[in-house]
Amino acid sequence: MSNKRTNLNGRDFIVVGGAGYIGSHVCKVISEHGGRPITFDNLSTGHAHAVKWGPFENVDVRHGANLDAAFAKYPEAKIVIHLASSIEVGIGEKHPAEFYDNNVTGALALLNAMRRAEATHVVFSSTCATYGETENMPLLETEPQNPVSTYGKTKLAIEHMIQSFHTAYGLNYVTLRYFNACGADASGDIGEEHDPETHLIPLAITSALGQRGKMKIFGTNYDTPDGTCIRDYIHVSDIALAHIDTIAAFDRGLDTAEVNIGTGIGVSNLEILKTIEKISGRPLPYISAPRRAGDLSKLYADPRKAKITIGFSPKHSDLRNIIQTAWNFHSKAPRN
Ligand code: UFG
């Protein structure tokens, strides 16, 4: 039986932020399913070496005229996947102007360019950070959205913007609220390359590789079985496949949806460190550090709506596979 979810029959898809961590994996699966991904990216955080599966347009999402010129080259592309945004939560607190400009102004410019180009569908990368503080786990899509961080607030503003564009202009959309993206493509060629890196798994792996100091674990006295925070880690290749499932759902006539993209399984920070030790065969000592502001003790998805609405369920998110693929990626020589 084929592993392919659908056949994209040579169609063009605009992937805004296609040079980034998640975007490059989305481009790869579009290509594997017979489509052509067109990357729009300004390379501010993405990498030229991660654009391998289709044309590249160097455009900033905030520049309407440049977007128009890029869209004009691909008139057949009707579905836009929007992943470009500022994502580092701490930087958002220090520089909200930059976050609102890049994320919210950028999304507005993109949606307006889509209208001019007569693109009809958008897949938007949102986040579990739009829900805010709650004890209600697993998280359902109906949970009130009260984001704590500037990052979550900008993503929620865009969710609302897209809903208004649907009502007024008929834009079809699926908003994917990702949980913790992690892992790397099985080839080891693309993976997580943030600068600065703040995420648990890449930091812990580079610690185990001896490329940085001891790992600090932020909070070891939470009300969880081992005292450390619990998150829902979803493999980036699964997140990418959720976009293929979304395209297939659009093709079946889906017009709007907001869905969680997670596994439904909570994993603690210490379980992550132990799995890295097991896979790598290297010790990974850590220091107990104070809690990080804004961290919830537990955060994991109710994944049922994604299965029902777009037919998505994860295939690559076994914790060992997540750590193995991330380890393979980070063990390779540094990229340019
Ligand atoms: N952590 C450490 N030490 C580190 C880094 C992280 O203990 O050096 C802990 C964090 O405190 C947290 C867990 O590891 O308990 C996971 O932290 P990450 O920074 O890897 O991920 P987050 O859960 O904070 O962030 C993710 C996404 C964000 C999104 C957020 C929503 O990466 O984009 O979920 O809560 F906003």
Side-chain angles (χ1 to χ4, degrees):
M1 204 181 78
S2 163
N3 281 330
K4 302 276 186 290
R5 324 275 248 226
T6 188
N7 185 346
L8 299 176
N9 292 316
R11 286 154 69 195
D12 281 351
F13 299 88
I14 309 281
V15 184
V16 185
Y21 173 42
I22 299 177
S24 56
H25 289 79
V26 169
C27 289
K28 181 170 186 186
V29 293
I30 287 175
S31 170
E32 284 173 348
H33 286 77
R36 186 169 74 138
I38 320 292
T39 291
F40 287 11
D41 204 300
N42 66 357
L43 299 181
S44 61
T45 55
H47 304 280
H49 62 246
V51 183
K52 300 170 188 252
W53 294 278
F56 171 65
E57 299 295 336
N58 194 335
V59 277
D60 186 307
V61 75
R62 294 161 293 189
H63 293 169
N66 293 353
L67 284 169
D68 288 347
F71 270 109
K73 290 168 88 172
Y74 309 99
E76 303 301 322
K78 296 296 168 205
I79 299 181
V80 174
I81 297 171
H82 179 34
L83 305 114
S85 77
S86 302
I87 61 157
E88 294 303 349
V89 177
I91 298 175
E93 301 315 309
K94 281 196 202 114
H95 304 288
E98 178 188 318
F99 265 56
Y100 277 91
D101 185 36
N102 202 25
N103 296 1
V104 181
T105 312
L108 182 58
L110 178 67
L111 295 184
N112 280 326
M114 283 181 63
R115 288 180 66 208
R116 293 190 292 272
E118 298 182 352
T120 52
H121 294 71
V122 67
V123 188
F124 174 56
S125 301
S126 190
T127 165
C128 59
T130 59
Y131 292 115
E133 285 188 42
T134 174
E135 297 282 306
N136 295 334
M137 296 297 143
L139 264 169
L140 276 164
E141 289 82 352
T142 47
E143 182 71 23
Q145 289 177 289
N146 296 308
V148 177
S149 62
T150 299
Y151 167 66
K153 287 174 187 170
T154 63
K155 288 285 184 174
L156 182 58
I158 302 166
E159 287 200 18
H160 290 160
M161 189 192 294
I162 289 173
Q163 288 160 1
S164 299
F165 271 58
H166 169 72
T167 307
Y169 311 127
L171 175 71
N172 300 295
Y173 71 86
V174 168
T175 288
L176 302 175
R177 295 184 188 140
Y178 309 150
F179 281 65
N180 286 55
C182 54
D185 184 63
S187 67
D189 288 341
I190 47 173
E192 199 164 2
E193 296 181 79
H194 296 124
D195 184 16
E197 187 54 81
T198 60
H199 296 104
L200 178 69
I201 295 176
L203 288 177
I205 287 179
T206 44
S207 252
L209 283 165
Q211 293 168 4
R212 55 189 296 279
K214 259 191 198 167
M215 204 46 209
K216 284 186 186 156
I217 291 296
F218 302 138
T220 49
N221 59 354
Y222 282 99
D223 182 19
T224 59
D226 66 18
T228 64
C229 288
I230 288 176
R231 293 289 179 273
D232 184 336
Y233 291 92
I234 175 123
H235 197 291
V236 65
S237 298
D238 277 331
I239 294 183
L241 287 170
H243 294 74
I244 303 296
D245 290 337
T246 300
I247 293 166
F250 280 147
D251 290 348
R252 289 192 298 272
L254 180 68
D255 56 356
T256 71
E258 285 88 6
V259 294
N260 288 336
I261 298 297
T263 65
I265 298 164
V267 176
S268 78
N269 296 345
L270 288 189
E271 284 176 87
I272 295 286
L273 298 196
K274 278 186 204 132
T275 310
I276 294 172
E277 285 186 322
K278 240 183 249 158
I279 300 271
S280 67
R282 299 191 188 198
L284 183 42
Y286 68 89
I287 301 165
S288 291
R291 291 181 180 197
R292 191 172 67 175
D295 268 345
L296 297 186
S297 63
K298 296 181 206 125
L299 203 46
Y300 52 94
D302 186 317
R304 288 174 296 177
K305 187 178 175 195
K307 179 142 179 65
I308 294 163
T309 315
I310 60 168
F312 169 75
S313 45
K315 300 277 180 292
H316 302 284
S317 295
D318 167 78
L319 188 55
R320 291 185 67 91
N321 184 53
I322 286 172
I323 301 299
Q324 185 70 64
T325 54
W327 178 265
N328 294 350
F329 177 74
H330 291 289
S331 306
K332 281 194 171 181
R335 286 142 197 91
N336 46 17

